[in-house]
Amino acid sequence: MLKLAKRYHVDVLQAITWNYSTAILLTWLIFKPHWISLQVAPVTTLAGLGILLPVLFVVLGASVTTTGIVRTDVAQRLSLFIPILASYFVFGETLHAVKITGIALGLVAIVCSIPWGKSTGGKASRGGWFYLLVVFIGMGVIDVLFKQLSAFKAVPYTSLLFMVFILSFICALIMLIIKISSGKTKFSFPHILIGWALGIANFGNILFYLKAHQALVNKPSTVFTAMNIGVIVMGTLVGLFIFKEKLSTLNKVGIFLALIAVIVIFNF
């Protein structure tokens, strides 16, 4: 959807803002979450996600503009290093030899899946590398924060998810109001419809990501790696069959290694 947004000149910030309104509504209708007291809520984790989720979308857009889509893609995919390290040093997971082999295969698959031969779509300016660093760190930190959120047992995770979406919507709305008031964009009703459609996908993505962490509570590296590899494989297949993109031999090797990595990680 974001690829189509670029093609049809959609204002990503407007779409992202209204996407959270759909996520809020779906969470409310499906799970009937309860309001939670700030005294029992993981305030730091909620605030971190509520700010990082919408802000990072804006940074991604700036990174693509200043450094190119390929460099941004590399930074986003390699951010897997951060939650993998957190699995061991923060969450205390024991990584045996076979699991480490699977993770290593996954990291190699990520590198192989990157379209190295394509034009970056822009030159990396001096400030552009700052955006790449923020994308790399931000994506990794978001993964870690979601793991922490799934491990919080004092409050139902659906209520926590509800709060994340509300905070993200407020943050995105503030950024949108500033952008409109400064004359950098104009309010457009079609963007609301686009955002609502995006919100359905975003809601499902985050919901099942949290469920995966709860189901595999002692195996955070499995969730981190499988999610990132899944994004690569599905994204590549969508690009191949829907957008008619061509795959290099290295890209095909990357997909094959990704599938092997998932099998190794989940079965050993």
Side-chain angles (χ1 to χ4, degrees):
M1 292 181 73
L2 291 175
K3 189 177 181 71
L4 289 173
K6 182 180 180 181
R7 178 182 297 179
Y8 294 105
H9 307 290
V10 172
D11 185 343
V12 174
L13 179 56
Q14 290 196 51
I16 292 303
T17 300
W18 303 117
N19 119 86
Y20 288 117
S21 66
T22 303
I24 292 170
L25 180 62
L26 288 174
T27 306
W28 177 262
L29 292 177
I30 296 174
F31 298 108
K32 301 294 190 295
H34 299 287
W35 290 103
I36 56 178
S37 170
L38 293 179
Q39 295 179 342
V40 298
V43 177
T44 303
T45 303
L46 289 173
L49 286 170
I51 295 172
L52 275 177
L53 285 173
V55 167
L56 207 55
F57 271 113
V58 177
V59 175
L60 280 169
S63 180
V64 169
T65 301
T66 57
T67 72
I69 192 168
V70 173
R71 291 191 182 97
T72 303
D73 196 37
V74 172
Q76 186 173 351
R77 294 182 184 187
L78 293 183
S79 67
L80 175 62
F81 279 104
I82 294 175
I84 290 298
L85 291 174
S87 298
Y88 180 77
F89 291 106
V90 178
F91 302 115
E93 181 181 4
T94 301
L95 300 177
H96 51 74
V98 178
K99 175 66 78 63
I100 293 173
T101 301
I103 293 172
L105 283 173
L107 293 173
V108 173
I110 289 174
V111 174
C112 290
S113 70
I114 295 168
W116 297 103
K118 292 185 179 181
S119 170
T120 59
K123 295 181 180 180
S125 63
R126 185 167 54 184
W129 296 105
F130 171 75
Y131 290 125
L132 292 175
L133 182 63
V134 173
V135 169
F136 173 75
I137 296 175
M139 284 294 183
V141 170
I142 282 175
D143 280 347
V144 174
L145 290 177
F146 270 126
K147 167 59 183 173
Q148 290 181 325
L149 199 69
S150 71
F152 192 79
K153 302 301 181 184
V155 177
Y157 78 94
T158 50
S159 296
L160 295 174
L161 187 62
F162 188 58
M163 291 299 297
V164 168
F165 287 140
I166 289 176
L167 291 172
S168 297
F169 177 65
I170 292 173
C171 182
L173 188 60
I174 291 173
M175 289 191 294
L176 180 59
I177 291 173
I178 294 173
K179 190 175 181 180
I180 292 175
S181 61
S182 63
K184 294 181 179 179
T185 190
K186 294 182 179 180
F187 173 78
S188 172
F189 181 76
H191 283 90
I192 297 180
L193 301 178
I194 296 169
W196 286 347
L198 181 61
I200 296 173
N202 195 22
F203 167 77
N205 172 45
I206 295 177
L207 172 66
F208 286 102
Y209 187 44
L210 285 174
K211 281 180 174 288
H213 272 303
Q214 290 185 320
L216 300 168
V217 65
N218 296 319
K219 299 180 180 180
S221 65
T222 298
V223 180
F224 292 138
T225 308
M227 188 274 290
N228 280 274
I229 291 175
V231 168
I232 291 170
V233 173
M234 291 303 298
T236 301
L237 292 176
V238 168
L240 178 64
F241 293 107
I242 296 181
F243 295 106
K244 308 302 179 183
E245 296 177 350
K246 294 182 179 180
L247 298 181
S248 67
T249 301
L250 190 61
N251 296 154
K252 294 175 182 177
V253 170
I255 294 176
F256 175 75
L257 289 177
L259 295 175
I260 297 298
V262 170
I263 294 172
V264 171
I265 290 169
F266 272 97
N267 289 279
F268 297 96

